[in-house]
Amino acid sequence: MSSIDATHLPAWRLLSERVRDLPHLRELLDADPQRFQHFRVDAPGMRLDLSRQRWDDGIRGQLVALAEEAGIDAARRQLFEANTFNPTEGRAVLHTALRTHAGKSIDVDGTDAVAAVHAALEGMRRLCTSVRNGSWRGATGKAIRDVVNIGIGGSFLGPAMVCDALGTSDGPNVHFLANIDGTEAARLLPALDPTRTLFIIASKSFGTLETRSNALTVRSWLLERGIAPEDLRRHFVAISTNIAAAAEFGLPEANLLPLWDWVGGRYSVTSTIGLPIALGHGYEVFERLLAGARAMDEHFRDAPLAANAPVLLALAELWNQNFLGTESHAVLPYATALDLLPDYLQQLEMESNGKSVRSDGSPVTTRTGTILWGNVGTNGQHAYHQLLHQGTAPFSAQFILPLAPGHTLDEHHDWLAAHCFAQAEVFARGRSAADVQAELEASGMIPEAAAAAAPHRAMPGNHPSTVLLLDDLGPESLGALIALHEHKVFVQGMIWGINSFDQWGVELGKVLGTTIHGALTDAQGGAHSVDPTTRALVALYRERRR
Ligand code: F6P
């Protein structure tokens, strides 16, 4: 698969020229009182304020031209049909099929992907109904009270984020067991009644070490607590593409929900991997999540590039990173319900676009991927915002504020919104030393003292940010928020010419981890790493643990 070098495109060259003499954001904002209207984009479930991006009409137009020259118009349509977007794994990329209406058809290697999705959804619906109405019984005949999702990465972060965002479930309690760190299992299992707990083994490959280890620990735990081997099937279901491995674990096909190669793990929350959402909150809620994602899919596919929320969000961040030199991107949800969103987006963005070669194997010639981090406002204001306001590292930010917060403590929400808007304003405008000095003098400080204090209180500003106003925290809005970012990542990956859908970079560490595990646990010391520091650490560990 050949891929473009976007840095050779005419629009890229013109954009490079625009960086010189670009005014401070404060000046851009002051120059146009209608700037908010000019840079506002409405999309399903949300409104985006892009007026505090450090761009003007001309730059935005040139970025849209870049997207056109990079073939985004055709690419976005191919994302809704059989395609070859993942050549290094030989797979199509079709997460949009997960929320396509029944009746449409997308042929993948002779199978209709949409029909397969709807058959799986029906299986999911039946399973949810039986667990939630109590007809699914545990080994001793009791209904299920707790559900534990055993999975990691894409088989964990999306469902955990959505369950957390939706709040208290009206069905069984939903828990997540992801990490190989035994602390998680050791803390969770004693709180559960084995006869009333259903475990979901969520693993596309069914080969992920963390998931397999946790599943084996749980199986032993159930057996030790008197669940007979033949009754384990009442306490386990699995979601995987690997039917053989699930069968080897002891799960009959009836306990398996399918997944498909054309859904990447980090793009799988709207697949059967979303089962914990449906079990906890009801299958209808999951359907509403799909509807929200579908609405964003349609917006992405059909809206002109210049009025397209995922496209403009992608272009704004590309401009920030590749032209203005921002080093990281802070995702700041002003919503405790979205506190797992930065974790979820970290995998989506960084596992997708952290690549050094283009799809054809040639080295990239510009920075790709984005170092994404963040957590909920207003907590960050009392921690790392100091560095954001007065530190030296250039960054961009995305604020997310739900207009309807899902509670009735309106005075809290007014304060939360006020702080969100205030931070975005200060990021953009900053405060000059001269202004600080004048204010201090006006408040009665003598000029010498004011002059000495001013540099410590000045803030450069000029930090680009987007404010995303989410309608609410309902499933439709969450589905739209997920699809917005999926498509943003896609657009950036296409412009960078990379494959956003493989993740070979995570493999070497897994292989080495297995070798080192042998060295740690074998009586003879097992195979050794070639690295002397690793060997020394292994020796120290063995000595201390003996
Ligand atoms: O190791 C990375 C990764 O492969 C992710 O891409 C994936 O989401 C996660 O592991 C879990 O994989 P699986 O669902 O196959 O267990």
Side-chain angles (χ1 to χ4, degrees), residues 152-155 202-208 211 265-266 347 351 503 506-507 510:
I152 197 163
S155 300
S203 178
K204 181 177 165 184
S205 60
F206 218 89
T208 303
T211 303
R266 52 196 176 272
Q347 188 200 15
E351 201 174 58
Q503 57 285 316
V506 300
E507 295 305 323
K510 291 182 190 173

Side-chain angles (χ1 to χ4, degrees), residues 243-492:
I243 301 173
E248 203 184 307
F249 185 84
L251 284 177
E253 230 177 303
N255 287 40
L256 188 73
L257 286 172
L259 198 53
W260 307 273
D261 276 343
W262 40 262
V263 186
R266 52 196 176 272
Y267 297 87
S268 66
V269 56
T270 56
S271 75
T272 44
I273 287 290
L275 179 65
I277 305 166
L279 284 171
H281 296 272
Y283 179 74
E284 308 67 38
V285 167
F286 184 68
E287 275 194 323
R288 289 169 56 196
L289 183 88
L290 299 187
R294 182 164 55 244
M296 184 59 78
D297 288 347
E298 288 165 1
H299 167 85
F300 174 58
R301 190 193 54 202
D302 301 334
L305 297 183
N308 193 304
V311 171
L312 290 173
L313 200 57
L315 293 174
E317 285 312 317
L318 190 124
W319 170 244
N320 291 333
Q321 181 170 316
N322 291 128
F323 295 90
L324 301 184
T326 54
E327 291 170 0
S328 74
H329 181 59
V331 173
L332 308 172
Y334 276 63
T336 295
L338 295 176
D339 65 346
L340 295 181
L341 183 70
D343 293 23
Y344 167 75
L345 292 180
Q346 253 174 0
Q347 188 200 15
L348 184 63
E349 292 230 4
M350 294 168 81
E351 201 174 58
S352 295
N353 284 345
K355 309 286 163 63
S356 309
V357 294
R358 292 193 287 263
S359 293
D360 62 3
S362 58
V364 297
T365 50
T366 190
R367 256 186 61 202
T368 63
T370 301
I371 297 175
L372 185 151
W373 60 280
N375 74 344
V376 285
T378 58
N379 296 2
Q381 289 173 218
H382 300 275
Y384 52 78
H385 278 231
Q386 166 61 35
L387 182 147
L388 299 182
H389 289 304
Q390 290 190 313
T392 52
F395 67 92
S396 64
Q398 181 181 167
F399 294 89
I400 302 168
L401 177 77
L403 292 172
H407 59 73
T408 53
L409 300 171
D410 288 345
E411 61 283 19
H412 283 256
H413 201 59
D414 294 344
W415 274 115
L416 187 68
H419 281 297
C420 174
F421 298 157
Q423 293 297 314
E425 183 176 319
V426 179
F427 280 174
R429 303 185 76 88
R431 194 162 69 139
S432 71
D435 284 352
V436 176
Q437 188 173 341
E439 273 174 37
L440 292 175
E441 285 181 28
S443 70
M445 197 182 271
I446 57 166
E448 293 73 21
H456 298 281
R457 303 187 194 195
M459 301 179 196
N462 214 16
H463 302 297
S465 71
T466 298
V467 175
L468 190 162
L469 297 175
L470 202 59
D471 284 353
D472 53 32
L473 292 162
E476 292 87 353
S477 301
L478 294 172
L481 188 65
I482 288 165
L484 171 83
H485 286 95
E486 287 176 348
H487 300 322
K488 173 203 165 188
V489 168
F490 173 73
V491 170
Q492 290 186 326

